Amino acid sequence: NAGVTQTPKFQVLKTGQSMTLQCAQDMNHEYMSWYRQDPGMGLRLIHYSVGAGITDQGEVPNGYNVSRSTTEDFPLRLLSAAPSQTSVYFCASSYLSAGDTGELFFGEGSRLTVL
Amino acid sequence: AQKITQTQPGMFVQEKEAVTLDCTYDTSDQSYGLFWYKQPSSGEMIFLIYQGSYDEQNATEGRYSLNFQKARKSANLVISASQLGDSAMYFCAMSHMNTGFQKLVFGTGTRLLVSP
């Protein structure tokens, strides 16, 4: 049972480069999201999706794009990387069922460094 | 606005003792959920415990319990009989029915160190 899988786990970029962080889940979760974790700031929501074709912004969306073409996949795109985007990125998914607690299942994280 | 405050950057406890990690929250909503997650040095986020705002009893999961004081807007995590493997970062988080229970707002975390 793979759960939530993120790739790559580590990436170094130069300022201005683009890249995509991949996220896939095999639990048939409707809800998927991306968080970034910075020292002393906890986790902050970047973008989220409640189903295929539906995405919305979280707390810190600037500089990131997402799309949700399938239930399983939710890639995060950095179009022009900046040093301020150096962070650890977590993908998380959950059911949307009524009455569910909303417990998030997290991937292992992707550490991104922008030089 | 929703906000989670964890005022303890670091906590120390001896093995087999109990420890309380503080969490206060700010919300004007009546329906919300409170979570605690553990993040060991390996980096993954591990769900520990959940408390709904309408739950009258404190949530418990094995050695973890959530001391929920609604009037004081606090949701402290109590770990009984600490183990060396409990050394990790601990995050308190909150969600709201109005914005979707899955949209968690996290605190800044408390680093717990368990000594032999």
Side-chain angles (χ1 to χ4, degrees), chain B residues 19 31 39 75 99 108:
Chain B
V19 63
S31 184
Q39 186 178 43
T99 57
T108 53

Side-chain angles (χ1 to χ4, degrees), chain A residues 39-83:
Chain A
M41 300 189 73
L43 279 77
R44 293 179 293 168
L45 182 63
I46 304 172
H47 285 286
Y48 66 97
S49 169
V50 297
I54 306 170
T55 64
D56 205 347
Q57 297 180 350
E59 180 185 357
V60 287
N62 292 342
Y64 307 96
N65 280 353
V66 293
S67 60
R68 183 98 178 267
S69 56
T70 67
T71 299
E72 296 78 19
D73 300 299
F74 191 46
L76 179 71
R77 298 182 184 86
L78 286 71
L79 298 179
S80 179

Side-chain angles (χ1 to χ4, degrees), chain B:
Chain B
Q2 309 160 15
K3 187 177 180 181
I4 291 281
T5 302
Q6 295 180 255
T7 58
Q8 306 156 314
M11 289 285 286
F12 294 89
V13 67
Q14 278 201 314
E15 199 176 6
K16 299 180 184 179
E17 291 185 348
V19 63
T20 297
L21 306 183
D22 294 341
C23 172
T24 58
Y25 59 92
D26 187 18
T27 182
S28 56
D29 294 336
Q30 298 301 311
S31 184
Y32 51 88
L34 295 156
F35 302 76
W36 278 92
Y37 281 83
K38 172 184 178 182
Q39 186 178 43
S41 58
S42 51
E44 71 270 29
M45 296 290 289
I46 302 169
F47 167 77
L48 295 179
I49 198 166
Y50 166 83
Q51 177 88 38
S53 59
Y54 293 114
D55 295 338
E56 295 185 352
Q57 291 193 331
N58 288 341
T60 60
E61 291 286 349
R63 295 185 299 110
Y64 303 107
S65 61
L66 198 153
N67 185 0
F68 181 45
Q69 298 188 38
K70 195 170 183 176
R72 300 179 66 177
K73 294 187 176 179
S74 73
N76 298 339
L77 178 70
V78 180
I79 305 175
S80 63
S82 297
Q83 301 172 356
L84 296 178
D86 293 334
S87 293
M89 281 289 288
Y90 289 81
F91 291 96
C92 181
M94 178 172 63
S95 64
H96 290 75
M97 173 184 278
N98 290 343
T99 57
F101 272 121
Q102 294 74 17
K103 289 178 63 179
L104 266 59
V105 174
F106 286 82
T108 53
T110 296
R111 184 173 299 279
L112 177 66
L113 181 61
V114 181
S115 59

